[in-house]
């Protein structure tokens, strides 16, 4: 898998691009080197790519930035419950402009649409994304299943 595709998936899962990677939920891509700090690990993971293939995975100490050693695998868990890709935010911006033609806080909506047009999340997106990704269940569905199943 190309590292650029992994970066898109990391962003959709709530990771933030930072240089250098120091905290949980951050990543960076420099050439063929992808650094990720997953909440599943206690240290940053550096993956060295040759094209689309991983050559090595190493664990780094976030304080000293020194290699601790090689690892055979790395599990990257999402930083948020809902994974949303850039294209979905862009689609949301188009739909929002059609859906809300008159609104009291138009400046706030314009700011959110501006972020979404660039494919970026904005404050409160989790509550507004059902405009393009409809909810398939309610809290009642979960309570009922827990009680009767």
């Amino acid at each position: 898998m190309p590292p650029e595709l992994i970066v898109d998936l990391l962003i959709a899962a709530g990771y933030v691009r930072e240089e250098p990677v120091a905290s949980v939920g951050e990543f960076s891509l420099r050439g063929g080197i992808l650094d990720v700090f997953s909440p599943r690990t206690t240290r940053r993971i550096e993956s060295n790519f040759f094209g689309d293939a991983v050559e090595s995975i190493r664990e780094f100490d976030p304080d000293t930035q020194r290699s601790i050693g090689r690892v055979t695998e790395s599990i990257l868990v999402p930083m948020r419950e809902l994974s949303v890709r850039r294209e979905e935010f862009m689609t949301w911006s188009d739909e929002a402009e059609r859906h809300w033609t008159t609104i009291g806080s138009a400046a706030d909506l314009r700011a959110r649409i501006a972020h979404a047009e660039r494919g970026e999340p904005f404050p409160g997106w989790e509550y507004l994304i059902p405009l393009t990704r409809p909810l398939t269940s309610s809290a009642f569905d979960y309570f009922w299943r827990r009680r009767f199943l």
Side-chain angles (χ1 to χ4, degrees):
M1 179 182 292
E4 294 80 16
L5 179 56
I6 297 171
V7 165
D8 287 345
L9 296 172
L10 288 170
I11 292 170
Y15 285 79
V16 177
R17 188 185 294 255
E18 287 292 331
E19 186 66 41
V21 173
S23 300
V24 171
E26 297 177 349
F27 77 93
S28 74
L29 179 63
R30 299 173 324 278
I33 300 172
L34 177 65
D35 291 342
V36 182
F37 203 149
S38 172
R40 177 92 193 270
T41 63
T42 57
R43 295 184 177 92
R44 180 185 75 163
I45 300 294
E46 179 182 279
S47 301
N48 293 300
F49 284 83
F50 182 73
D52 295 351
V54 176
E55 283 189 323
S56 69
I57 304 173
R58 301 185 73 78
E59 199 173 37
F60 278 77
D61 185 311
D63 296 326
T64 65
Q65 298 293 315
R66 298 189 127 184
S67 173
I68 294 172
R70 289 187 137 192
V71 293
T72 57
E73 68 177 11
S74 175
I75 298 174
L76 305 176
V77 297
M79 294 298 296
R80 57 184 178 216
E81 288 183 36
L82 189 60
S83 180
V84 180
R85 299 189 74 173
R86 297 183 71 241
E87 297 79 16
E88 287 185 83
F89 284 118
M90 294 174 178
T91 300
W92 181 89
S93 72
D94 294 339
E95 190 62 32
E97 287 179 330
R98 284 193 293 279
H99 185 76
W100 289 295
T101 54
T102 58
I103 189 165
S105 58
D108 185 46
L109 178 61
R110 277 194 285 276
R112 291 176 180 185
I113 288 173
H115 280 281
E117 283 175 340
R118 295 188 302 266
E120 300 171 356
F122 51 85
W125 69 266
E126 302 91 338
Y127 308 108
L128 296 172
I129 204 72
L131 179 64
T132 55
R133 189 193 279 189
L135 300 174
T136 57
S137 59
S138 68
F140 177 76
D141 295 327
Y142 294 109
F143 293 131
W144 184 84
R145 286 186 187 144
R146 183 166 175 96
R147 177 147 170 84
F148 297 108
L149 293 181

